[in-house]
């Protein structure tokens, strides 16, 4: 059958009136056949065979079409394709196009393609004026290595942006994002998550209710009810930054890191975790809580650093370290705790309180037992001094020497050896707690045993013992205190809250105030901070 070419004039259809209107008409460029059926379709022209039409920069091709000249409307059937410039291709089994309002509708194995992405769905609408396409019939987007699925979505052509809604899944070779609200930019790979959302990777699981994810550079920022979970650690904070390539995470304000393997909870207002290096850093009212024999040990330092893999953890605390346990507390300049060796070193002016005993020295070592997970022994090296208040009077029991070696039972000091140049002042009482006298002497070594309340039960002196037991009236007050004695009971840490010095509590107040403002994660790149925190403002505009 003879091919008929339809050019712009449409003289055979009498379309002169259409061209007189302000709105441009759909132009039929070509078709193998044309026909009119005044009975069934009185207002339409039937086009078939290699149909090609255009309208203001969009080209439409199909196998068959109905063109309604009065409505400036086209219905296309079979292998439908709409091409806008060289950037947008829309394919489907069936489509409709309204030339007056420049809106298209397509259904049946629909695909929408651009140079950097492709969308497959069942039905799609395209508004050429707004340059927006939207679907409500389940769609799949492929953008390089990212595949996105959702029940509904909207594509903004000029911005190269998708808004995904309901049952959204973004699949990447390294992770899967699930949410009900995701904004995604195909050119930059930037994703914005709102509402309950999860990101599941090979090594971790992330939850957030507001966040930003750069799918190209694998960097993210989360700012609402967010956490990152590894096999052995859970990281929480008001603001989280995450770099998947480096497996690095940092958190700001109300930071809480739970170490399930080592039964530890680490808190502060700024923290960093390097998973591949098995290390973390915490500061700004930093503390770590350990579970020890059904009791908790709380440690504070201006800076706390935890390194090493499971079973070989090393904890370092710097600057004004303070710690508390129900039967023990202390202070020092810094602390070094080695899990494998079960050795904790108190460094720099250490002081330790065990029940009512105050111990000081140049260096202190606490040695544990990894099998029983209990405290085993104590070493105080150089200028060892142990003191406690007399049970009834105002005096102080005191023992000093070069070194002190103690043994613990059920985390309570029960046996103590003090060696070299030892001196003692001890208030001796009978079973009725009546003062018998004050024992003051020197010797080369002393052994003390303690009762279940860590009070001195017996004292044994060894070698070169020189001294006596004095009635209270015969020993002057100034002779009842050994040289170097300083009672520091007012400094004793009696509760877990006491581990924080006043200046740290002031910081806590400021941190809570700052928490009301959206201060971005300081370790996040500037562009990521701005993207996450200002996106709501951009959406409103």
């Amino acid at each position: 059958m003879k091919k008929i070419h339809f050019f712009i004039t449409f003289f055979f259809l009498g379309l002169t009136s259409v061209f007189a209107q302000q709105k441009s008409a759909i132009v039929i460029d070509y078709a193998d056949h044309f026909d009119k059926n005044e009975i069934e379709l009185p207002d339409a022209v039937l086009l078939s065979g290699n149909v090609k039409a255009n309208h203001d920069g969009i080209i439409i091709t199909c196998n068959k079409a109905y063109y309604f000249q009065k409505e400036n409307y086209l219905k296309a059937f079979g292998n439908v394709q709409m091409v806008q410039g060289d950037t947008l291709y829309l394919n489907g089994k069936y489509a409709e196009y309204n030339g007056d309002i420049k809106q298209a509708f397509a259904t049946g194995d629909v695909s929408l393609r651009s140079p950097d992405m492709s969308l497959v769905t069942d039905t799609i609408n395209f508004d050429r004026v707004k340059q927006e396409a939207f679907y409500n019939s389940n769609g799949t987007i492929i953008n390089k290595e990212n595949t996105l699925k959702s029940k509904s979505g909207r594509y903004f052509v000029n911005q190269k942006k998708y808004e995904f809604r309901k049952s959204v899944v973004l699949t990447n070779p390294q992770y899967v994002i699930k949410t009900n609200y995701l904004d995604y930019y195909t050119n930059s790979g930037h994703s914005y998550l709102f509402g309950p959302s999860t990101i599941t990777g090979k090594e971790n699981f992330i939850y957030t209710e507001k966040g930003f994810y750069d799918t190209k550079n694998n960097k993210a920022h989360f700012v609402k009810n967010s956490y990152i979970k590894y096999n052995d650690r859970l990281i929480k904070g008001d603001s989280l930054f995450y770099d998947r390539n480096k497996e690095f995470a940092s958190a700001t304000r109300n930071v809480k890191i739970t170490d399930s393997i080592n039964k530890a909870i680490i808190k502060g207002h700024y923290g960093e975790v390097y998973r591949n290096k098995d290390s973390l850093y915490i500061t700004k009212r930093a503390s770590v809580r350990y579970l020890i024999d059904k009791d908790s040990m709380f440690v504070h330092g201006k800076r706390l650093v935890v390194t090493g893999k499971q079973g070989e953890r090393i904890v370092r605390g710097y600057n004004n370290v303070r710690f508390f346990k129900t039967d023990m507390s202390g202070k020092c300049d810094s602390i070094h705790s080695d899990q494998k060796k079960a050795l904790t070193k108190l460094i720099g002016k250490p002081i330790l309180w065990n029940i009512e005993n105050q111990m000081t020295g140049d260096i202190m070592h606490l040695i544990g037992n990894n099998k029983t997970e209990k405290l085993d022994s104590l070493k105080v090296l150089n200028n060892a001094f142990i003191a406690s208040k007399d049970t009834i009077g105002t005096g102080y029991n005191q023992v000093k020497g070069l070194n002190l070696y103690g043994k613990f039972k059920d985390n309570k000091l029960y046996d103590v050896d003090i060696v070299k140049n030892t001196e003692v002042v001890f208030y001796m009482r009978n079973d009725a707690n009546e003062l018998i006298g004050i024992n003051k002497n020197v010797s080369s070594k002393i052994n003390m045993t303690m009762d279940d309340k860590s009070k001195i039960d017996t004292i044994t002196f060894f070698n070169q013992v020189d001294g006596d037991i004095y009635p209270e009236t015969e020993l002057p007050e100034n002779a009842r205190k050994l040289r170097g004695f300083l009672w520091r009971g007012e400094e004793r840490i009696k509760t877990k809250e006491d581990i924080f010095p006043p200046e740290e509590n002031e910081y806590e107040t400021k941190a809570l105030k700052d928490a009301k403002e959206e201060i971005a994660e300081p370790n996040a790149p500037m562009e990521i901070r701005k993207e996450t925190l200002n996106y709501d403002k951009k959406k409103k505009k």
Side-chain angles (χ1 to χ4, degrees):
M1 195 172 184
K2 186 179 179 181
K3 294 184 178 180
I4 307 296
H5 291 264
F6 292 86
F7 299 99
I8 301 176
T9 56
F10 288 102
F11 61 93
F12 49 85
L13 294 176
L15 300 180
T16 307
S17 59
V18 176
F19 288 96
Q21 300 174 3
Q22 292 181 352
K23 296 175 181 177
S24 61
I26 298 173
V27 177
I28 305 300
D29 289 332
Y30 183 88
D32 287 344
H33 307 280
F34 83 96
D35 198 1
K36 281 182 66 69
N37 190 327
E38 295 294 343
I39 298 175
E40 295 183 8
L41 294 169
D43 298 324
V45 175
L46 172 60
L47 310 171
S48 61
N50 298 312
V51 179
K52 179 181 179 183
N54 75 79
H55 182 258
D56 288 351
I58 190 170
I59 298 173
I60 305 170
T61 59
C62 59
N63 294 338
K64 184 176 78 169
Y66 293 138
Y67 177 60
F68 300 82
Q69 61 174 17
K70 291 181 181 179
E71 291 85 3
N72 200 22
Y73 200 90
L74 185 74
K75 291 185 178 181
F77 305 84
N79 295 320
V80 181
Q81 183 177 73
M82 298 184 185
V83 180
Q84 179 177 279
D86 58 355
T87 59
L88 200 65
Y89 300 82
L90 177 62
N91 293 77
K93 292 181 178 179
Y94 172 76
E96 296 179 10
Y97 181 75
N98 189 322
D100 288 349
I101 60 176
K102 294 186 176 181
Q103 288 188 357
F105 164 82
T107 187
D109 297 331
V110 175
S111 68
L112 179 68
R113 293 176 291 113
S114 70
D116 55 2
M117 72 87 201
S118 65
L119 161 66
V120 176
T121 186
D122 181 66
T123 302
I124 197 167
N125 291 274
F126 180 45
D127 187 327
R128 293 190 63 208
V129 176
K130 295 181 179 179
Q131 287 293 291
E132 294 180 12
F134 60 93
Y135 63 89
N136 293 298
S137 54
N138 292 318
T140 300
I141 311 294
I142 297 177
N143 174 230
K144 298 182 180 178
E145 60 181 5
N146 297 312
T147 300
L148 300 100
K149 295 182 178 181
S150 69
K151 286 188 175 180
S152 66
R154 186 175 294 269
Y155 178 55
F156 300 83
V157 178
N158 294 334
Q159 300 177 52
K160 295 186 177 181
K161 168 193 171 184
Y162 272 99
E163 288 184 354
F164 295 102
R165 304 294 180 266
K166 299 179 183 179
S167 303
V168 184
V169 179
L170 188 158
T171 303
N172 180 282
Q174 297 184 63
Y175 55 85
V176 176
I177 297 176
K178 293 184 178 181
T179 182
N180 279 322
Y181 194 124
L182 171 68
D183 288 355
Y184 178 75
Y185 290 81
T186 59
N187 57 346
S188 63
H190 289 181
S191 299
Y192 299 86
L193 304 165
F194 299 91
S197 308
T198 63
I199 305 173
T200 305
K202 296 178 181 178
E203 304 294 341
N204 60 27
F205 175 86
I206 299 171
Y207 175 86
T208 187
E209 292 178 14
K210 181 183 178 184
F212 164 79
Y213 200 105
D214 182 343
T215 61
K216 284 188 177 180
N217 298 305
N218 275 323
K219 294 180 179 179
H221 185 208
F222 311 109
V223 293
K224 184 178 180 182
N225 298 331
S226 309
Y227 64 80
I228 301 173
K229 188 178 188 304
Y230 292 99
N231 290 333
D232 57 348
R233 283 179 183 165
L234 179 67
I235 306 163
K236 291 184 177 181
D238 290 354
S239 174
L240 297 177
F241 169 69
Y242 175 60
D243 186 328
R244 186 176 296 276
N245 295 332
K246 296 179 180 179
E247 278 300 343
F248 166 82
S250 60
T252 301
R253 292 190 313 273
N254 299 311
V255 179
K256 182 180 179 181
I257 302 171
T258 304
D259 186 338
S260 57
I261 300 296
N262 295 285
K263 302 175 183 178
I265 297 175
I266 302 155
K267 293 183 177 182
H269 285 297
Y270 179 72
E272 297 179 356
V273 176
Y274 298 83
R275 183 185 179 279
N276 293 337
K277 297 179 181 179
D278 280 308
S279 68
L280 68 86
Y281 165 87
I282 194 88
T283 187
K284 298 181 180 178
R285 208 168 189 265
S287 68
V288 57
R289 171 190 173 185
Y290 287 103
L291 184 63
I292 302 175
D293 190 32
K294 299 180 180 180
D295 195 3
S296 293
M297 168 78 84
F298 298 87
V299 181
H300 162 75
K302 287 189 176 180
R303 293 179 295 139
L304 296 175
V305 180
V306 182
T307 58
K309 59 185 179 181
Q310 179 186 346
E312 299 180 6
R313 293 275 198 268
I314 293 177
V315 178
R316 299 176 178 88
Y318 302 96
N319 303 114
N320 197 12
V321 173
R322 301 154 69 96
F323 57 91
F324 168 79
K325 193 171 171 291
T326 52
D327 49 16
M328 181 181 294
S329 62
K331 301 195 300 184
C332 57
D333 290 339
S334 61
I335 192 170
H336 184 284
S337 183
D338 189 318
Q339 183 184 28
K340 187 176 182 179
K341 296 180 180 179
L343 172 63
T344 299
K345 298 178 182 179
L346 310 182
I347 304 165
K349 301 176 183 178
I351 180 170
L352 183 69
W353 292 277
N354 179 239
I355 311 297
E356 299 299 327
N357 298 306
Q358 171 185 293
M359 287 169 277
T360 56
D362 293 348
I363 298 173
M364 282 191 188
H365 290 177
L366 292 167
I367 300 99
N369 186 316
N370 283 332
K371 291 183 179 180
T372 63
E373 295 185 349
K374 293 182 179 181
L375 200 56
D376 179 76
S377 55
L378 164 72
K379 290 182 181 180
V380 182
L381 307 177
N382 299 328
N383 299 313
F385 208 122
I386 181 169
S388 63
K389 276 189 174 183
D390 180 32
T391 54
I392 296 178
T394 59
Y396 297 89
N397 296 314
Q398 305 151 63
V399 181
K400 64 179 291 188
L402 181 62
N403 298 326
L404 180 152
Y405 304 95
K407 285 286 186 179
F408 288 91
K409 185 176 182 180
D410 295 328
N411 293 316
K412 295 177 182 177
L413 198 62
Y414 79 95
D415 188 88
V416 176
D417 287 324
I418 298 106
V419 299
K420 293 186 180 180
N421 304 322
T422 60
E423 300 179 51
V424 171
V425 171
F426 180 67
Y427 287 73
M428 304 180 66
R429 295 183 178 275
N430 59 22
D431 293 339
N433 274 329
E434 297 171 338
L435 183 64
I436 299 172
I438 301 174
N439 188 341
K440 182 176 182 179
N441 65 49
V442 297
S443 62
S444 60
K445 178 183 176 182
I446 295 174
N447 174 262
M448 298 188 301
T449 60
M450 310 288 192
D451 61 18
D452 57 358
K453 295 182 180 179
S454 290
K455 294 179 180 179
I456 298 175
D457 189 27
T458 64
I459 299 182
T460 306
F461 305 96
F462 298 90
N463 301 331
Q464 302 175 0
V465 181
D466 183 14
D468 207 345
I469 299 174
Y470 299 89
E472 184 178 15
T473 56
E474 295 183 12
L475 189 63
E477 285 288 339
N478 60 0
R480 299 181 189 181
K481 294 181 180 179
L482 298 178
R483 186 175 180 180
F485 169 74
L486 177 63
W487 182 249
R488 298 166 61 183
E490 71 282 355
E491 299 179 36
R492 182 178 171 185
I493 300 168
K494 298 181 180 180
T495 67
K496 62 182 181 181
E497 288 78 17
D498 290 344
I499 64 173
F500 299 107
E503 61 270 20
E504 292 290 335
N505 289 323
E506 290 176 6
Y507 179 84
E508 172 74 355
T509 302
K510 182 179 183 300
L512 292 174
K513 180 180 178 182
D514 289 345
K516 297 178 181 179
E517 306 171 10
E518 286 208 310
I519 300 175
E521 171 60 49
N523 221 332
M526 181 61 70
E527 65 272 15
I528 289 184
R529 303 189 216 173
K530 291 180 179 178
E531 288 284 356
T532 314
L533 300 178
N534 295 331
Y535 192 65
D536 282 341
K537 298 177 183 177
K538 289 163 61 178
K539 284 175 67 64
K540 290 176 182 178
K541 291 180 180 179

